[in-house]
Amino acid sequence: DGGITQSPKYLFRKEGQNVTLSCEQNLNHDAMYWYRQDPGQGLRLIYYSQIVNDFQKGDIAEGYSVSREKKESFPLTVTSAQKNPTAFYLCASRALQGLAQETQYFGPGTRLLVL
Amino acid sequence: DQQVKQNSPSLSVQEGRISILNCDYTNSMFDYFLWYKKYPAEGPTFLISISSIKDKNEDGRFTVFLNKSAKHLSLHIVPSQPGDSAVYFCAASALNDMRFGAGTRLTVKP
């Protein structure tokens, strides 16, 4: 059945280490998004992509990088430059045409913790 | 710069009563509004939405009201059930820009 998957569910990062969070969707959605959620705050946009091989920075892109080599996949790398990476990371996707095109659908999230 | 605000971090209601969650926005360019429900350690799930050309949208126990002049929307849940206990996020969208509120934690007491 269709949906968005994120892995791993929990991820631990050591100081100075880059880590990559996976996001895959089989909804045939064109657009994909990465958000960060911190306690007591709403979702903040890190990066988004509307088409393969193209992506745009969101509000808090510093310290993160993404790629969009395939329509189904939008991995997020948390680099060592991100000084406060501990958060809950959410991936979402959206159709750009048709009914309900305004609605983003979310994956189950990945919790990143710094050791 | 919070363009979408949910001023109540928490709300507690009795089972069977109405829950009213509120949301305010500042950007008049927003033309589509959504409510998401989120359980701990899970991704948000889409609940209900409304276009700016409407002032009400109803789906079972859930109704969203939009007051464009006041830049305010609300989610009504009636009757509230213990399973509705979760964090509810309001979101507003304009073209490719979607903004989320900080969320309201709803607790429905049996």
Side-chain angles (χ1 to χ4, degrees), chain A residues 9 35 37 40-43 50 59 88 90 94 102-104 106-108, chain B residues 32 34 36 38 41-44 46 89 93 95-96 98-102:
Chain A
K9 191 170 179 65
Y35 292 91
Q37 186 194 8
Q41 295 193 39
L43 308 181
Q50 292 187 276
D59 297 323
F88 191 55
L90 288 159
R94 176 171 77 102
E102 298 283 353
T103 304
Q104 292 187 18
F106 286 84
Chain B
Y32 200 79
L34 309 93
Y36 286 87
K38 185 181 181 300
E42 294 184 12
F46 169 70
F89 287 99
S93 173
L95 294 176
N96 296 314
M98 182 175 285
R99 300 286 168 164
F100 289 84

Side-chain angles (χ1 to χ4, degrees), chain B residues 18-37:
Chain B
I18 185 170
S19 295
I20 301 176
L21 294 94
N22 294 303
C23 179
D24 297 292
Y25 62 95
T26 58
N27 188 345
S28 58
M29 296 299 293
F30 290 138
D31 58 4
Y32 200 79
F33 304 89
L34 309 93
W35 284 95
Y36 286 87
K37 177 180 180 179

Side-chain angles (χ1 to χ4, degrees), chain A residues 2-111:
Chain A
I4 304 173
T5 56
Q6 291 184 241
S7 62
K9 191 170 179 65
Y10 296 95
L11 186 58
F12 298 91
R13 193 191 92 163
K14 295 180 181 178
E15 292 287 340
Q17 186 181 40
N18 293 354
V19 292
T20 298
L21 286 64
S22 168
C23 178
E24 304 277 333
Q25 55 97 2
N26 60 4
L27 300 168
N28 199 34
H29 285 172
D30 295 295
M32 296 186 74
Y33 304 80
W34 274 106
Y35 292 91
R36 169 180 171 143
Q37 186 194 8
D38 293 283
Q41 295 193 39
L43 308 181
R44 293 185 291 167
L45 183 64
I46 304 172
Y47 267 99
Y48 68 97
S49 167
Q50 292 187 276
I51 194 170
V52 173
N53 292 324
D54 187 54
F55 45 82
Q56 307 297 327
K57 291 182 179 180
D59 297 323
I60 55 166
E62 186 175 349
Y64 300 97
S65 65
V66 293
S67 62
R68 188 88 186 276
E69 297 177 3
K70 299 186 300 182
K71 186 177 183 178
E72 304 80 19
S73 178
F74 191 41
L76 172 75
T77 297
V78 184
T79 74
S80 57
Q82 172 49 244
K83 297 307 178 188
N84 186 23
T86 297
F88 191 55
Y89 289 87
L90 288 159
C91 178
S93 70
R94 176 171 77 102
L96 293 180
Q97 297 179 36
L99 294 175
Q101 61 177 279
E102 298 283 353
T103 304
Q104 292 187 18
Y105 296 91
F106 286 84
T110 293
R111 182 162 298 282

